[in-house]
Amino acid sequence: MTAIRLPTALPPPGTVLGAAPHRTEDSAAYRDGGGYGTATGPRELLAHLTASGLRGRGGAAFPAAVKLRSVRDAGGSPVVVANGEEGEPGSAKDRWLLRARPHLVLDGLARAAAVTGAVRGYVYLSDPVAGASVRAALAEHPPPLPVEVVETGHAYVAGEETAVVRRIDGGPALPTAKPPRPYERGVGGAPTLVSNVETLARIALTAARPRLRDAVARTTLVTLSGAGAPPVLTEVPYGTPLRALARRYGTPDAAGALMGGLFGGLVGAGALDLPLEPDALAAAGTALGCGAVRFLGPRECPVAAAADAAAHLAAESARQCGVCVTGTAAVAGALGALAAGTAGPDTAQSLLRWARGLPGRGACGLLDAAAGLAGSLLRAFPGPVRAHLTAPCPGCAQTAPPDGRRLAVAVPEPAAAPHADGAPVPAGPTDIPLPLLKGTP
């Protein structure tokens, strides 16, 4: 079960987790906390977002103000989309947010619409529990523009922005070639803002408390897991060392980490002194991505972890780009053979070649993630790779065959909002069924 840990150094009014993260927030509680206010207008809000440098929380860390301006300046009748389809298996933040604080997301969506001039909006997700929560919130507090909930099947690529547009337009949730980008031509051909739900939540927080804009922009939700410790969803300031997070949340002797869900690749123990901050991590060759970090235990084999992640990516390929189908399968096969002790002497060289040559050749980031896994394993753990080429690894031999579901974490399920008489509805966090990989029984 994924636990929720409240931040100790941040005031609840300035956090996305809020003061009661284990309970779904209703509209009355949200308004009492300053939500849906009118003091901050669209122009002032955009200025605050520009000054704070708020970045998107979907994975790319693109400046939110730039994205809003691009949609606004494209003209026409823009569309805004709250993207809650969480494809990374180690992340639970977006689904929790839609379940527990749907009004915070919807407030952010309405404010993004006001900034861009959008005439309609969508909430895009794959979690039925989150869908029910959002629909209830829409009925409780109708937004100032028409908003529709669009559900899709859970998949790694389903949250990619062109896949989002394609699905809302009635097609499959599969990426398309770029350009055009959605901000140029998106849903129904209109300029479209596709924004991660945490990004929208932080836009709403900035509007409610502009004096806290810098703190809002420089804190982030993270999902921490691995090394036998229970998964944790928490909120931390940028600049927090990875090692401090490992120590605080149950992995004091971590040997490394799988970063950004799967997109940031593997890092060794030395990289745990890096600060949790997009630019610093990017400069070190990794990424914060969606904020999911899976720590490796001191006796956990990084080759097995890489093989697990690559197997998941290969299974999740959209199978519409030939280079992705063959490339992810090749990387997964080589890493699987390396973990099993059956790799040939040229395996490391092949992995290096793919790490250098495959990025940028697919329609989305899945192939890049597979290539990045291969390259990061070679960089961060050259000793274990050489050892696997020499003899079978005892640790890998005791591990079940790679199965990407082991990378997944359960979503904290909040209790219902209190009854009108103030008595809480008794309910505790429970696991929910996790989706199977494609091709698995």
Side-chain angles (χ1 to χ4, degrees):
M1 183 59 220
T2 302
I4 300 176
R5 301 286 181 84
L6 289 168
T8 57
L10 303 171
T15 65
V16 169
L17 280 179
H22 293 93
R23 177 183 296 167
T24 295
E25 184 178 46
D26 63 18
S27 64
Y30 183 63
R31 288 194 302 271
D32 288 346
Y36 292 130
T38 58
T40 306
R43 183 173 298 181
E44 183 184 1
L45 175 59
L46 186 59
H48 284 304
L49 297 174
T50 302
S52 71
L54 176 68
R55 297 190 181 200
R57 296 302 198 270
F62 194 77
V66 174
K67 203 169 184 179
L68 288 163
R69 278 198 204 90
S70 297
V71 174
R72 181 198 64 185
D73 296 346
S77 300
V79 174
V80 287
V81 180
N83 185 5
E85 166 44 21
E86 205 164 22
E88 296 285 1
S91 181
K93 70 181 183 72
D94 294 340
R95 285 166 289 175
W96 167 82
L97 186 53
L98 290 171
R99 292 178 179 201
R101 304 202 70 188
H103 289 285
L104 182 62
V105 176
L106 292 172
D107 192 2
L109 185 68
R111 292 179 187 279
V115 171
T116 59
V119 296
R120 66 187 188 279
Y122 297 88
V123 180
Y124 177 83
L125 47 81
S126 65
D127 175 20
V129 178
S133 179
V134 172
R135 289 186 178 94
L138 287 169
E140 194 179 21
H141 185 96
L145 76 165
V147 174
E148 179 183 346
V149 178
V150 176
E151 293 195 27
T152 188
H154 179 79
Y156 187 86
V157 300
E160 195 272 341
E161 62 176 1
T162 62
V164 173
V165 168
R166 196 173 178 184
R167 174 67 185 90
I168 292 174
D169 276 342
L174 298 173
T176 60
K178 299 172 280 289
R181 295 275 183 179
Y183 79 87
E184 299 168 308
R185 189 173 187 275
V187 175
T192 300
L193 176 80
V194 179
S195 186
N196 172 261
V197 293
E198 185 189 346
T199 311
L200 293 171
R202 294 191 180 279
I203 288 174
L205 282 175
T206 301
R209 293 175 174 80
R211 63 184 179 82
L212 296 178
R213 68 187 187 191
D214 294 337
V216 169
R218 294 194 59 79
T219 56
T220 193
L221 293 176
V222 291
T223 313
L224 309 173
S225 62
V232 169
L233 174 65
T234 189
E235 191 167 4
V236 298
Y238 280 167
T240 304
L242 289 169
R243 195 179 303 280
L245 294 177
R247 288 172 175 165
R248 183 174 178 185
Y249 296 109
T251 318
D253 48 1
L258 181 60
M259 295 292 300
L262 305 181
F263 189 77
L266 288 160
V267 297
L272 298 181
D273 292 319
L274 289 168
L276 192 81
E277 196 277 329
D279 288 341
L281 292 172
T286 184
L288 177 59
C290 64
V293 180
R294 180 177 182 270
F295 292 110
L296 303 180
R299 289 176 294 278
E300 185 174 358
C301 181
V303 175
D308 229 14
H312 181 83
L313 291 170
E316 287 289 299
S317 171
R319 304 197 178 281
Q320 62 178 9
C321 300
V323 67
C324 179
V325 174
T326 58
T328 54
V331 171
L335 290 174
L338 197 63
T342 61
D346 60 344
T347 297
Q349 192 59 41
S350 296
L351 288 170
L352 180 61
R353 184 174 70 253
W354 294 327
R356 291 173 174 172
L358 290 178
R361 296 181 62 188
C364 68
L366 187 142
L367 181 60
D368 291 12
L373 274 169
S376 66
L377 176 67
L378 296 174
R379 287 193 307 272
F381 298 100
V385 171
R386 287 193 297 269
H388 278 70
L389 291 171
T390 303
C393 170
C396 290
Q398 297 172 7
T399 303
D403 177 353
R405 282 175 288 173
R406 288 204 303 268
L407 301 172
V409 298
V411 184
E413 187 168 340
H419 291 300
D421 61 5
V425 175
T430 57
D431 288 325
I432 62 166
L434 295 172
L436 294 176
L437 295 178
K438 297 173 184 174
T440 59

